[in-house]
Amino acid sequence: MIATMLKTPASWFADLDRLQRELDRDPGGFGLPVSIRAVGGAGFPAINVASTPQAVEVYAFAPGIDASQLEVTVDHNLLSIVGKRELPAAAKGQVSYAEERFSGGFRRVISLPEDIDASKIEARYTDGVLRVSIPRREAVQPRRITVN
C-alpha cells in the first residue's frame, strides 16, 4: 500500500509529459505570455539533429545573432546552446503594428548519445546557422575487418 503512494521517477516523467502536453495545447493558460518560444512546444532557435555512425550534427537556425553572443557547452552528454539576440531600437516616432521577431536571451538543451567524444566538438556559425559537429568515439564506430 505504501509503495503505491510513493512516486517513482517514472511517474515524475509521466507528470512532466502531461504538463508539457497541456502547455502545448494552451501556452498562455498558466498566465505565461505567448511568444515565439512557446508556440507548438518549439523553442528558439529552431534545431535539426542528425546522427551518423561517425558523428552527431546539430543545426541551430538563429539569424541576426552576433557569434560572440553564442555559447555552446557540453556537460554530462547535454549540449547547451545559449545566446542573446538584440533587435535594433525603433526609430523615433515609429509605431509598430506587428513584431514577430524574438529578442532577448534563449537556451536550448539537447541530450546526446553516450558514445560521443566531447573533446573534439566543433562549432561554426555561418549565415545565421550554428552547426555543431560532435564526433563519436572511434572505439564504437563500425569498422571493416579484412578476411584472410
Side-chain angles (χ1 to χ4, degrees):
M1 173 86 173
I2 293 176
T4 59
M5 293 173 50
L6 297 175
K7 287 205 171 232
T8 63
S11 67
W12 296 339
F13 290 114
D15 289 343
L16 287 173
D17 186 52
R18 180 188 50 78
L19 180 60
Q20 183 64 53
R21 284 194 311 274
E22 289 176 16
L23 284 170
D24 289 346
R25 277 194 299 268
D26 185 18
F30 290 92
L32 301 173
V34 177
S35 71
I36 194 169
R37 293 184 292 175
V39 175
F44 181 87
I47 60 169
N48 287 351
V49 180
S51 179
T52 69
Q54 293 77 30
V56 175
E57 302 286 335
V58 178
Y59 297 89
F61 304 95
I65 296 176
D66 184 0
S68 66
Q69 296 293 317
L70 290 171
E71 179 181 319
V72 177
T73 59
V74 172
D75 186 27
H76 292 92
N77 287 31
L78 292 175
L79 173 71
S80 296
I81 301 171
V82 180
K84 186 176 183 181
R85 177 163 66 181
E86 298 292 333
L87 297 180
K92 187 176 182 180
Q94 177 182 350
V95 176
S96 294
Y97 293 100
E99 291 184 11
E100 295 182 353
R101 288 189 65 195
F102 167 76
S103 67
F106 60 86
R107 172 189 292 281
R108 292 298 304 261
V109 179
I110 300 134
S111 180
L112 299 171
E114 293 291 325
D115 63 350
I116 60 145
D117 188 350
S119 66
K120 295 182 181 176
I121 294 176
E122 294 179 1
R124 176 169 291 146
Y125 182 71
T126 307
D127 296 331
V129 178
L130 173 67
R131 178 181 179 215
V132 182
S133 181
I134 309 130
R136 296 182 186 271
R137 290 190 301 270
E138 289 184 27
V140 295
Q141 291 185 18
R143 62 186 183 111
R144 185 175 177 98
I145 309 299
T146 304
V147 178
N148 296 323

